[in-house]
């Protein structure tokens, strides 16, 4: 059976992964000041970071429309798997679900499943690559969905950011957490709940210390063994490799993949942020 994995543009797949042919991206749109930036192949990270630094207002993101997902569904594949960022953080999942209902009206025998990743960025990458492995292995559609859903329910996502300001301005973080980190000069180690909400996992005096605590959490979680670790970074490849080195010392992942953040993840991770998921 032919298949496609459709992701929204918060899924930070690498250019090489996108060239594999099984992935399709549906872009979100970013609004910074008077500028509107489509998070597609034309995205320029340096330009967005500069615009965010210069803008007095918080950047905003707009989810894809159901029509954009419908266009992606019309790709000729028999099995369609859709991975969206957390439904608690964006309307992308709702748009995909609406598109699925419309698609099934005209294609009642179609196989389409919408996955709420309950994560973002590297978490979506981890799920998308898991789906690729399962579907490419020849499993039937329902079995791919079952195993991928099981993978998602046990997935862990952590992140450490240089600044939490954009998360606070966009209502993704409490004002108190942002003020405390700014005043005390501490770095929060954050994560995602099973439902896809942002939560605190720890704190440290520096990004490197926070990344070390992240690696410790992974090492103490037995289910990481043999899994794939996805790391996404925003303009800080050195930190991504620092985390990779820590993980290689302490953990037994089957594979580690590193990618740069695309537009939406750049908005929230901001310059210097690192996201990891398995």
């Amino acid at each position: 059976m032919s298949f496609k994995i459709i992701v929204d543009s918060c899924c930070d797949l690498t250019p090489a992964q996108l060239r594999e042919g099984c992935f399709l991206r549906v872009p979100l749109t970013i609004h910074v000041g008077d500028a509107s930036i489509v998070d597609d192949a034309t995205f320029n990270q340096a330009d967005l970071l500069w615009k965010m630094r210069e803008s007095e207002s918080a950047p905003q993101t707009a989810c894809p429309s159901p029509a954009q997902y419908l266009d992606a569904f019309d790709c000729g594949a028999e099995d369609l798997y859709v991975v969206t960022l957390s439904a608690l953080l964006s309307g992308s999942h709702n748009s995909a679900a609406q598109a699925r209902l419309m698609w099934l009206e005209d294609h009642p025998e179609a196989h389409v499943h919408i996955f709420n990743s309950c994560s973002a960025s590297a978490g979506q990458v981890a799920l998308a690559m898991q789906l690729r492995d399962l579907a490419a292995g020849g499993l039937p559609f329902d079995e791919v969905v079952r195993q991928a859903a099981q993978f998602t329910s046990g997935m862990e996502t952590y992140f450490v950011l240089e600044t939490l300001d954009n998360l606070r301005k966009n209502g993704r973080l409490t004002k108190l957490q942002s003020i405390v980190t700014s005043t005390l000069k501490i770095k929060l180690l954050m994560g995602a709940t099973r439902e896809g909400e942002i939560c605190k996992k720890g704190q440290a005096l520096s990004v490197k210390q926070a990344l070390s605590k992240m690696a410790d959490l992974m090492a103490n979680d037995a289910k990481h063994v043999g899994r794939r670790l996805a790391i996404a970074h925003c303009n800080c490849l050195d930190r991504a490799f620092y985390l990779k080195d820590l993980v290689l010392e302490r953990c037994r992942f089957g594979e580690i993949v590193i990618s740069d953040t695309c537009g939406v993840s750049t908005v929230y991770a901001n310059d210097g942020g690192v996201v990891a998921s398995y």
Side-chain angles (χ1 to χ4, degrees):
M1 300 285 283
S2 61
F3 70 92
K4 288 288 185 183
I5 300 163
I6 298 167
V7 301
D8 63 37
S9 62
C10 193
C11 182
D12 295 317
L13 293 166
T14 66
Q17 289 166 341
L18 289 171
R19 287 194 296 269
E20 292 179 18
C22 61
F23 299 110
L24 289 175
R25 292 177 81 239
V26 179
L28 283 83
T29 303
I30 303 158
H31 302 287
V32 187
D34 295 329
S36 292
I37 301 168
V38 179
D39 191 13
D40 58 14
T42 66
F43 169 68
N44 184 306
Q45 186 187 75
D47 180 62
L48 175 58
L49 289 172
W50 181 83
K51 282 182 168 62
M52 290 195 298
R53 283 194 294 268
E54 293 296 307
S55 176
E56 295 182 1
S57 59
Q60 303 291 325
T61 59
C63 69
S65 67
Q68 288 174 277
Y69 276 110
L70 281 173
D71 287 343
F73 292 172
D74 193 18
C75 60
E78 296 168 282
D79 294 344
L80 300 175
Y81 307 99
V82 185
V83 177
T84 74
L85 66 108
S86 172
L88 294 180
L89 301 178
S90 169
S92 181
H93 183 268
N94 186 54
S95 287
Q98 290 182 48
R100 177 182 179 274
L101 292 176
M102 289 186 281
W103 184 257
L104 291 177
E105 286 182 5
D106 294 329
H107 308 83
E109 302 302 319
H111 291 163
V112 185
H113 188 86
I114 315 297
F115 289 92
N116 173 11
S117 70
C118 296
S119 183
S121 184
Q124 290 174 262
V125 173
L127 175 54
M129 295 184 72
Q130 184 73 7
L131 280 165
R132 179 202 64 185
D133 293 348
L134 293 170
L139 293 176
F141 179 81
D142 289 345
E143 183 61 17
V144 171
V145 169
R146 187 191 70 79
Q147 291 194 32
Q150 186 177 41
F151 173 86
T152 305
S153 67
M155 189 167 63
E156 300 290 348
T157 300
Y158 302 116
F159 60 94
V160 176
L161 309 185
E162 187 67 51
T163 172
L164 299 172
D165 208 36
N166 280 352
L167 280 177
R168 179 186 64 79
K169 288 178 181 178
N170 285 279
R172 313 303 190 203
L173 197 69
T174 67
K175 184 176 181 181
L176 177 61
Q177 286 175 318
S178 186
I179 290 174
V180 166
T181 55
S182 298
T183 303
L184 300 181
K185 304 299 182 184
I186 63 175
K187 302 301 178 185
L188 294 183
L189 169 57
M190 308 296 287
T193 66
R194 289 286 175 254
E195 296 75 30
E197 291 184 299
I198 294 172
C199 62
K200 178 183 172 183
K201 294 290 187 179
Q203 64 187 47
L205 296 177
S206 69
V207 170
K208 283 193 171 182
Q209 288 180 4
L211 292 174
S212 182
K213 288 191 174 186
M214 183 192 295
D216 285 340
L217 286 177
M218 295 177 188
N220 292 329
D221 180 7
K223 72 172 179 287
H224 85 268
V225 178
R227 280 202 175 203
R228 177 186 292 111
L229 174 65
I231 301 173
H233 69 92
C234 182
N235 195 36
C236 57
L237 187 61
D238 56 335
R239 288 179 177 173
F241 273 100
Y242 178 75
L243 177 60
K244 180 181 179 180
D245 288 342
L246 292 175
V247 166
L248 287 173
E249 291 174 1
R250 306 175 192 180
C251 305
R252 291 181 289 161
F253 285 102
E255 181 185 6
I256 301 174
V257 295
I258 295 177
S259 62
D260 206 348
T261 54
C262 300
V264 175
S265 298
T266 294
V267 168
Y268 295 113
N270 218 324
D271 205 357
V274 177
V275 187
S277 188
Y278 61 92

